[in-house]
Amino acid sequence: MARVMKIGIVCYPTFGGSGVVATELGKALAKEGHQVHFITYSQPSRLDFLNENLFYHEVSIRSYPLFEYPPYELALASKMVSVVKNEKLDLLHVHYAIPHASAAYMAKQILKSHGIFIPVVTTLHGTDITLVGKDASYEPVVTFSINQSDGVTAVSNDLRKETYQFFKITNDIEVIPNFIDLEKFKKQKKDHFKKAICPNGESLIVHTSNFRKVKRIGDVIKVFYNIHKEIPSKLLMIGDGPERDQAEGMCRELDICDDVRFLGKLEAVEEVLSVADLFLMPSEKESFGLAALEAMACEVPVISSNTGGIPELNVQGVTGFLSNVGDIEDMTKKALFILDKNNLPVFKENALKRAKEFDIANILPLYENYYHRVLEKTAAQVIA
Ligand code: GMT
């Protein structure tokens, strides 16, 4: 086995894609024998088991009447300092640049003053670059902290390209795509569940997301409405977020509530995906589209927009189709084509085949090698 490392992982512990990727990565590294320390403000939702190599350090944020906005970044940096020092970490890997990369920079400087060198790897996930990071209120800090990282990865070529286009980046950015644990997502068909939802053999369409504006939830409802006019079908909406109320309102207006179910945040998405026929991802922007990969791992073809990094995952006419953002008619036409019983089996097979390329077994070594390269590159600084 390659050299065992002690790695600190900093991420958002919530249901967002970056937190999922960070947590699954940490769990996989721990299984490989590395010691992994999660540093987050609450236990990551996917951190569903602990073993002798997995540790969790909660960032406690002290509130004070003076603080209208409690300084989370400072509490996080302080926690990083103590964990790196006490646990003798080799490397810090922060997921989602804001505010993790700048907090890591601060921790690194403090540790340096104690005679400790800690290399920092930052993984760019998407909205930290494409949406939030570009805003003038964050851009200078994002640029600076990316340039100060000892290693930078992005989850797709498109995100890498966009980072270079918009920010003045002097660092090399390595592309390491999102991944899936195929063992976990292996089709565990819950036929009883399918029968309960689709008692008359209706086609089952699924969408999962955090229901933010960027996901274009309205397009999901419109495409389903069009499909539903043509063939018996049901829609399951998994997740929750700011656009949910509006989407539910649309369903009432279109009189399709009997065939659309909003399931809220669901832990075991794979159980629903395992019985689905089609996945909809009409996002405005998507740096990778982890939710689509999860669907494909359950043999579900994808209708998506052709934006961001999605084309690096969903293959036109093979694993599904890609349409221009907002092109409801095209998405409907292609969805109906896939759902045709003569076409569905081959799309399903192709979706799974493609998902296998992103299996954790293929992607984990890319991260391990990258860590080793960063450690080698920065070794001189430890000695100096
Ligand atoms: O906005 C989200 O979808 C959540 C966000 C996150 O960082 O939590 O997801 C981003 O990171 C995922 C994991 O790398 C990617 O698969 C998603 O495509 C990306 N979301 C967007 O770019 C909108």
Side-chain angles (χ1 to χ4, degrees):
M1 190 177 65
R3 184 192 145 194
V4 166
M5 292 170 273
K6 285 187 174 187
I7 302 151
I9 291 190
V10 178
C11 64
Y12 283 106
T14 46
F15 281 84
S18 61
V20 170
V21 168
T23 313
E24 296 294 346
L25 174 63
K27 282 160 46 176
L29 286 164
K31 274 190 194 156
E32 281 300 301
H34 302 290
Q35 205 181 84
V36 177
H37 294 260
F38 284 96
I39 305 171
T40 56
Y41 60 77
S42 66
Q43 178 143 340
S45 51
R46 290 268 180 116
L47 193 57
D48 43 13
F49 74 89
L50 286 177
N51 73 11
E52 69 277 15
N53 292 330
L54 278 175
F55 300 83
Y56 163 59
H57 307 268
E58 187 162 308
V59 180
S60 45
I61 310 147
R62 175 104 193 253
S63 148
Y64 185 69
L66 190 65
F67 299 154
E68 196 176 335
Y69 307 103
Y72 172 64
E73 198 173 337
L74 302 189
L76 175 61
S78 296
K79 190 52 120 184
M80 288 188 210
V81 169
S82 78
V83 177
V84 169
K85 233 173 140 176
N86 297 329
E87 306 292 344
K88 301 190 173 34
L89 299 190
D90 295 308
L91 182 137
L92 271 176
H93 185 177
V94 303
H95 291 258
Y96 204 92
I98 306 168
H100 302 146
S102 46
Y105 171 73
M106 200 187 307
K108 186 173 158 174
Q109 296 312 308
I110 296 168
L111 285 158
K112 202 168 155 191
S113 74
H114 298 192
I116 297 169
F117 174 77
I118 184 78
V120 173
V121 171
T122 297
T123 289
L124 310 173
H125 278 274
T127 48
D128 47 351
I129 293 299
T130 57
L131 220 65
V132 198
K134 281 182 180 170
D135 193 277
S137 51
Y138 296 114
E139 183 279 320
V141 177
V142 171
T143 305
F144 179 79
S145 50
I146 291 175
N147 284 333
Q148 291 297 323
S149 298
D150 301 288
V152 184
T153 75
V155 297
S156 65
N157 288 304
D158 186 78
L159 184 60
R160 177 180 187 271
K161 194 168 127 212
E162 189 159 347
T163 309
Y164 280 126
Q165 268 167 359
F166 190 85
F167 299 86
K168 282 205 169 60
I169 299 300
T170 50
N171 261 349
D172 286 340
I173 302 178
E174 179 98 352
V175 174
I176 303 184
N178 284 174
F179 53 82
I180 192 88
D181 181 353
L182 265 169
E183 253 322 287
K184 180 178 163 201
F185 276 80
K186 209 164 56 187
K187 217 166 159 85
Q188 352 158 322
K189 237 187 191 327
K190 301 259 188 251
D191 283 328
H192 60 283
F193 180 64
K194 174 97 182 214
K195 281 208 182 88
I197 303 278
C198 303
N200 303 309
E202 295 91 338
S203 294
L204 183 59
I205 295 148
V206 174
H207 171 79
T208 69
S209 76
N210 46 30
F211 288 53
R212 286 196 234 136
K213 239 187 171 49
V214 70
K215 304 292 176 182
R216 295 184 70 99
I217 304 297
D219 288 5
V220 175
I221 306 295
K222 287 181 200 162
V223 172
F224 174 71
Y225 175 68
N226 287 346
I227 296 172
H228 186 259
K229 278 194 291 191
E230 300 295 326
I231 57 171
S233 43
K234 302 273 183 181
L235 172 65
L236 292 180
M237 300 287 283
I238 304 174
D240 212 331
E243 299 294 300
R244 177 170 168 173
D245 283 350
Q246 210 184 328
E248 288 186 304
M250 275 179 83
C251 293
R252 282 190 293 274
E253 265 168 44
L254 297 169
D255 195 21
I256 50 173
C257 292
D258 286 349
D259 294 313
V260 183
R261 288 270 300 272
F262 287 80
L263 299 179
K265 289 176 183 166
L266 206 70
E267 292 274 352
V269 276
E270 64 277 13
E271 292 189 0
V272 176
L273 290 170
S274 71
V275 291
D277 297 304
L278 185 68
F279 187 81
L280 297 180
M281 179 177 266
S283 304
E284 180 83 38
K285 191 88 194 166
E286 203 69 61
S287 66
F288 180 87
L290 181 63
L293 175 58
E294 292 185 338
M296 288 160 68
C298 293
E299 264 185 87
V300 184
V302 174
I303 289 289
S304 68
S305 40
N306 57 8
T307 181
I310 307 179
E312 294 170 46
L313 171 69
N314 189 18
V315 185
Q316 184 75 284
V318 178
T319 59
F321 286 102
L322 302 97
S323 309
N324 290 335
V325 174
D327 193 341
I328 308 294
E329 295 314 314
D330 194 53
M331 289 184 194
T332 307
K333 203 171 82 195
K334 307 271 171 60
L336 288 167
F337 182 82
I338 293 177
L339 291 170
D340 184 305
K341 66 176 185 339
N342 295 316
N343 301 331
L344 190 56
V346 60
F347 276 99
K348 276 179 167 284
E349 198 183 314
N350 292 344
L352 178 61
K353 201 166 149 205
R354 177 81 176 136
K356 284 182 180 162
E357 293 174 36
F358 297 90
D359 187 27
I360 179 87
N362 298 328
I363 308 299
L364 187 67
L366 304 183
Y367 274 113
E368 286 179 294
N369 290 340
Y370 190 67
Y371 293 159
H372 285 302
R373 273 159 49 205
V374 169
L375 287 172
E376 267 167 35
K377 187 181 86 178
T378 54
Q381 296 180 49
V382 184
I383 298 155

